[in-house]
Amino acid sequence: MNPITCAGVHFGYRHAPVVRGVDLAVRPGELVALLGTNGAGKTTTMDLLLGQRRPDAGTIRVLGRDPCADRRRLTAEVGVLPQESGCAPGLTVAETVRLWLRLHGRRDVHRATAALLTEVELTHRADLRAGRLSGGERRRLDLAVALTGRPRLLLLDEPTTGLDPQSRAHTWALLRALREQGVTILLTTHYLEEAEALADRIAIMDAGRVVFTGTLDEAGGPGSLATTFHRIAGQPR
């Protein structure tokens, strides 16, 4: 069973189509990078996978379940990093992580909090309120929250936006380690070098459709992704 399957998925706002027949499969233990220009439909596709919106047509299965009908059950198995941070600004970094660990029923709260903050390099910010973090630090806190449930599947919407090069490299190493542990990952990114560095396969969206899926070699090999992306994206459909 593939952790993610989309078949002929359509969705629109007030008769304006946004997702127009998306077909996408993500295999177990795979990291897939979803690329596309602004407005291509990436974030809406992520919302559909999360069950936050119901498709107008087509079928979506996440870990074998309908994400709308089984949204509560999937919460325990799917870690989510949205495009916009949802962390309460008045809580400290440590309080935020402890809260989400308790919501997931974790009993090892204090040990797990320390481990997660170490993983995202926020130990030195543990007692700082989330609202005082820099943009990159908030992104790292969002990632820690996404990991609190020990997820089988991660859905990450632009996970390294705002990170400095060192933090981005550390996050890449963490994502690679999670993939090696068997976690399946779908991420969106505007950084083509991020896709080249991390992805087992690449999917390119344009005008609401997935117009290319394949390995980096199938996209032209290392250093060729930018050429392939600009050749494919934005073409008349």
Side-chain angles (χ1 to χ4, degrees):
M1 178 188 70
N2 288 328
I4 294 175
T5 304
C6 298
V9 175
H10 289 257
F11 179 81
Y13 300 98
R14 295 184 180 180
H15 308 295
V18 178
V19 173
R20 304 192 298 169
V22 162
D23 295 305
L24 179 67
V26 180
R27 302 160 187 154
E30 185 177 47
L31 192 156
V32 172
L34 183 60
L35 310 178
T37 58
N38 289 332
K42 303 185 303 299
T43 293
T44 300
T45 298
M46 291 292 238
D47 289 345
L48 290 163
L49 290 170
L50 290 170
Q52 294 176 352
R53 305 186 188 281
R54 187 177 296 276
D56 299 325
T59 302
I60 299 174
R61 291 294 179 266
V62 175
L63 299 178
R65 302 189 183 111
D66 179 334
C68 288
D70 293 321
R71 187 173 175 185
R72 181 172 294 181
R73 290 177 65 188
L74 285 169
T75 298
E77 300 178 89
V78 181
V80 180
L81 191 155
Q83 197 172 72
E84 299 294 332
S85 176
C87 295
L91 294 180
T92 69
V93 168
E95 287 170 344
T96 300
V97 174
R98 286 198 295 265
L99 171 64
W100 282 95
L101 287 166
R102 291 189 178 104
L103 288 173
H104 281 292
R106 296 280 294 271
R107 296 183 179 181
D108 55 338
V109 171
H110 291 286
R111 184 190 63 79
T113 297
L116 283 168
L117 293 185
T118 298
E119 283 190 314
V120 299
E121 296 187 310
L122 283 178
T123 301
H124 65 300
R125 296 297 204 201
D127 297 323
L128 190 69
R129 296 191 187 279
R132 295 185 59 194
L133 296 174
S134 69
E137 288 170 338
R138 280 197 300 273
R139 213 73 194 123
R140 282 145 55 195
L141 177 57
D142 291 334
L143 180 56
V145 167
L147 297 175
T148 51
R150 293 180 175 144
R152 294 169 54 196
L153 170 65
L154 280 173
L155 299 177
L156 310 177
D157 201 353
E158 301 183 18
T160 63
T161 296
L163 268 59
D164 60 72
Q166 182 177 354
S167 295
R168 181 172 293 128
H170 182 87
T171 299
W172 289 2
L174 175 56
L175 295 180
R176 289 189 186 104
L178 289 165
R179 179 183 57 189
E180 289 171 4
Q181 293 165 22
V183 178
T184 304
I185 302 171
L186 176 65
L187 65 85
T188 71
T189 181
H190 284 295
Y191 301 120
L192 298 184
E193 70 275 15
E194 183 162 276
E196 288 192 333
L198 294 176
D200 297 301
R201 285 191 303 133
I202 293 153
I204 299 176
M205 283 195 76
D206 183 53
R209 296 188 179 97
V210 175
V211 295
F212 172 85
T213 55
T215 65
L216 183 59
D217 285 341
E218 290 168 336
S224 300
L225 182 56
T227 301
T228 301
F229 177 80
H230 292 300
R231 176 173 54 81
I232 293 174
Q235 297 299 312
R237 301 290 169 195

